[in-house]
Amino acid sequence: MDILKSLGNQHPAEKHYRALMKHCKVHLEEMDRTLPAPAEDFSTMLKERGISRRSFLKWTSMMTAALMLPPMFKPLVAQAAEQFNRLPVVWLHFAECTGCSEALLRSSYPNVDDILLDTISLEYHETLMAAAGYQAEACLEKALHDFPGQFVCVIEGAIPLAMDGKYLTLGPKGKTGLELAKEVTSKAALNICIGSCSAFGNVPAADPNPTGCVGVGKALGISTVNIAGCPPNPTNFVGTVLHYLMFGGLPAVDGLGRPIWAYGKRIHDYCERRPHYDAAEFVEEWGDAGQKKGWCLYKVGCKGPYTFANCSRVRFNDAISWPIMAGHGCMGCTEPAFWDTMKPLEKPIHEDTIGGGEKTVDTIGAALVGATVAGIAIHAGLTSSVHRDDK
Ligand code: SF4
Ligand code: SF4
């Protein structure tokens, strides 16, 4: 209240952002006081890895916009980036392929996201750490002891519940994934599910799911922030951690725990092939003339109309490209149970599953010549009903 009083007669939006900035500055100062000292100076780190000040400022602008913050927040995003490698992280692996770690921690050439991920303060990461067995167990115990309520727990992979969780045991004491997840998440400041397996179960939970895999939130009955994707975009993980450093809490999330700034819009609505969809210009089969002309991939299986993610805006590999730009349809990997609900992956979803998808597109194709707007309205209605069913 005091902050708001001191702001006088500003426009409500400006007043809101000024108050938010004050809160952010206070939180960043607190983090600066309480986080462990950096292992490496941030500016030296950027310099050594060939990132100029100009590139860093460009990245700051991009990240501020991606987080849906006005430009006045750019210096604070930069300040939060400087604290990134001071935040202790415990990274757990359950039922998964380690593809999320691979996608996040490897890069052919680094941008700022990659450098932040490369230098993240990993106190425990089963795939990357040199320690094994009792030594690794000791690293985990030390991290939980040294940073109680301060570390971020990142979870990769689903949790098997069948046979009391015994399909997955870890470490020298043979703890089940469920036991380990309960122990670590209860002591963390923030629990982030990285990838669609930990968020929703997904591939390890695919039908018939003999191991009884589920997502972490469901297995433990806790709220997690879900950076969905198979694998997820590094920007969405980095942005969520920056948000935590800046504001001390989770970003606004949708009904599936996904940050709205990253997953609030459909792939289809920001796809560069969308004008072809609207003009009923579809690739009918791989290698046809439509494919060569870059037409819409719906009829060869694109699930962009049912998928909420920012791939088309943020892209991958330093924003060079993304799947649809590279010529393949979206597989809907940020949606729950995509492996089952989005199949067949190279054809439109059968009308029994979604209530008329394939037929709708054909109908739209024919009808669009004279009734573009009506066709889009039918399709939009279809998409929202698919989403309600997913939940
Ligand atoms: S169906 Fe796929 S390729 Fe076509 S416009 Fe939508 S997202 Fe793009
Ligand atoms: S385009 Fe679709 S399948 Fe590809 S990463 Fe994005 S959401 Fe996943």
Side-chain angles (χ1 to χ4, degrees):
M1 280 306 286
D2 289 346
I3 294 173
L4 289 179
K5 262 188 210 163
S6 70
L7 294 171
N9 292 326
Q10 288 165 341
H11 185 278
E14 192 179 352
K15 205 183 252 188
H16 166 75
Y17 283 122
R18 295 264 168 225
L20 201 58
M21 276 184 86
K22 279 200 175 186
H23 169 75
C24 178
K25 281 178 188 162
V26 170
H27 191 260
L28 283 169
E29 277 163 22
E30 191 192 327
M31 295 306 267
D32 194 39
R33 273 196 311 276
T34 53
L35 287 177
E40 212 177 337
D41 172 66
F42 187 71
S43 337
T44 319
M45 193 172 86
L46 290 182
K47 211 167 158 191
E48 277 174 358
R49 287 166 170 82
I51 302 283
S52 64
R53 182 83 194 144
R54 189 185 161 86
S55 304
F56 176 61
L57 292 178
K58 204 171 138 200
W59 173 87
T60 307
S61 302
M62 183 281 292
M63 188 53 88
T64 307
L67 285 169
M68 292 182 174
L69 292 168
M72 61 169 90
F73 279 82
K74 282 193 270 183
L76 298 175
V77 170
Q79 219 178 309
E82 288 177 26
Q83 294 185 352
F84 199 96
N85 68 346
R86 296 172 58 190
L87 192 64
V89 173
V90 171
W91 195 298
L92 301 177
H93 290 264
F94 297 125
E96 40 92 27
C97 68
T98 312
C100 298
S101 280
E102 288 281 338
L104 264 64
L105 303 175
R106 273 179 199 261
S107 57
S108 49
Y109 64 96
N111 64 15
V112 179
D113 287 341
D114 298 320
I115 289 172
L116 292 178
L117 290 166
D118 271 358
T119 56
I120 194 169
S121 177
L122 284 172
E123 305 300 319
Y124 179 86
H125 187 297
E126 283 151 18
T127 312
L128 298 180
M129 63 200 302
Y134 285 104
Q135 270 183 338
E137 186 89 352
C139 289
L140 180 59
E141 278 164 15
K142 185 170 177 342
L144 301 189
H145 173 268
D146 291 354
F147 307 110
Q150 200 184 13
F151 70 90
V152 171
C153 178
V154 180
I155 309 148
E156 192 173 340
I159 301 191
L161 295 182
M163 272 179 55
D164 290 330
K166 290 192 179 60
Y167 277 106
L168 174 71
T169 56
L170 298 120
K173 294 177 192 157
K175 286 179 190 166
T176 65
L178 187 61
E179 286 166 343
L180 188 63
K182 262 187 203 161
E183 181 186 348
V184 180
T185 55
S186 64
K187 293 177 181 142
L190 176 67
N191 292 302
I192 301 181
C193 283
I194 191 85
S196 292
C197 297
S198 56
F200 311 126
N202 263 356
V203 177
D207 187 48
N209 191 11
T211 60
C213 271
V214 294
V216 174
K218 191 167 178 186
L220 304 183
I222 60 169
S223 298
T224 56
V225 57
N226 295 328
I227 310 299
C230 188
N233 194 309
T235 301
N236 297 344
F237 176 69
V238 169
T240 301
V241 175
L242 289 177
H243 185 283
Y244 171 70
L245 286 164
M246 291 170 72
F247 303 109
L250 294 179
V253 294
D254 67 9
L256 298 167
R258 303 176 297 191
I260 287 172
W261 66 266
Y263 299 91
K265 304 265 193 284
R266 278 190 318 171
I267 294 279
H268 188 56
D269 295 329
Y270 290 84
C271 174
E272 61 261 30
R273 296 187 190 227
R274 178 63 187 264
H276 295 297
Y277 175 89
D278 292 343
E281 293 172 340
F282 298 105
V283 176
E284 300 286 343
E285 59 181 45
W286 297 116
D288 71 5
Q291 189 188 3
K292 289 177 190 129
K293 289 180 190 159
W295 284 0
C296 170
L297 298 161
Y298 188 94
K299 288 192 175 180
V300 284
C302 180
K303 304 302 185 299
Y306 319 114
T307 306
F308 284 73
N310 55 358
C311 308
S312 50
R313 288 168 289 146
V314 172
R315 299 185 182 174
F316 292 81
N317 300 328
D318 206 15
I320 289 172
S321 187
W322 68 293
I324 288 175
M325 190 177 179
H328 196 282
C330 167
M331 294 161 78
C333 76
T334 58
E335 298 300 316
F338 81 95
W339 202 255
D340 293 322
T341 58
M342 298 290 180
K343 69 183 180 187
L345 295 176
E346 305 237 332
K347 285 187 182 156
I349 297 173
H350 192 273
E351 59 189 272
D352 287 346
T353 321
I354 60 165
E358 189 172 357
K359 207 160 104 195
T360 302
V361 168
D362 282 327
T363 308
I364 291 171
L368 268 175
V369 180
T372 305
V373 177
I376 293 167
I378 291 164
H379 187 71
L382 171 72
T383 305
S384 64
S385 77
V386 170
H387 247 267
R388 277 197 303 276
D389 291 343
D390 277 353
K391 290 173 194 175

